[in-house]
Amino acid sequence: MKKTMTLVLTLALAAGFYISVSAATDEGGLESLRGTTPLAGRDRAPEAKQMQAGGKPMPRSYLQQPPLIPHSIEGFEITTGNNMCLGCHGPANYQATGAAKISATHFTDRDAKKLKDVASRRYFCTQCHVPQVDARPLVENTFKPVNAVSPKKK
């Protein structure tokens, strides 16, 4: 009885494996989002956009939009042990470097408790702030900001 059960189980597993492998390699019944258009090969990475000359901050498109970064951040390191942004924008250095000081909201946790250091949820700057470039929109649109906010003057 034990041998029969082992044989039946082995055959069932083998049949299931064969069906899953043949279904994965058979493109006849599958349809992708690109339809019947085959892939022509690998796409090249898009060329990096150039930073605007002058590095003047662009106006924000909507209220509460995180400010864009008006300078290149190529080579900047942001890890759990090091945040190069804080070297210029941190509370200890912003006046000496002339950089914008990070907002007080970056020093509160999700329970609105004030912290002495940057909150962990606000530590990785580039999850919200991105370098500004004068790039063509990916999708043409007619969006016009109603309440655009210009950057504050120093």
Side-chain angles (χ1 to χ4, degrees):
M1 182 69 163
K2 202 175 202 181
K3 287 183 182 181
T4 307
M5 286 299 282
T6 304
L7 180 63
V8 169
L9 184 59
T10 304
L11 289 173
L13 287 173
F17 178 75
Y18 174 76
I19 291 170
S20 66
V21 168
S22 64
T25 58
D26 176 28
E27 295 181 25
L30 299 178
E31 185 177 329
S32 72
L33 292 175
R34 67 179 174 275
T36 58
T37 306
L39 291 176
R42 291 184 179 245
D43 283 342
R44 292 184 318 162
E47 291 192 28
K49 303 291 184 204
Q50 297 300 312
M51 297 296 301
Q52 288 181 313
K56 292 188 168 107
M58 296 170 71
R60 300 183 198 183
S61 298
Y62 56 91
L63 295 174
Q64 303 300 320
Q65 176 188 358
L68 298 173
I69 303 169
H71 57 79
S72 175
I73 59 169
E74 190 170 337
F76 275 42
E77 183 178 318
I78 303 175
T79 65
T80 55
N82 183 34
N83 183 331
M84 291 180 74
C85 301
L86 296 176
C88 293
H89 296 277
N93 302 328
Y94 79 96
Q95 289 177 323
T97 61
K101 180 182 177 186
I102 58 175
S103 168
T105 60
H106 289 62
F107 293 90
T108 57
D109 66 8
R110 66 181 181 183
D111 298 322
K113 179 182 168 193
K114 292 189 186 251
L115 306 170
K116 64 178 184 146
D117 292 319
V118 175
S120 59
R121 67 189 184 126
R122 300 288 188 103
Y123 182 80
F124 294 95
C125 309
T126 53
Q127 70 185 3
C128 298
H129 303 279
V130 296
Q132 65 187 24
V133 295
D134 190 18
R136 186 174 58 82
L138 295 174
V139 177
E140 293 300 324
N141 65 72
T142 58
F143 173 77
K144 299 280 186 252
V146 176
N147 296 321
V149 180
S150 295
K152 292 180 182 176
K153 305 280 189 235
K154 290 184 186 178

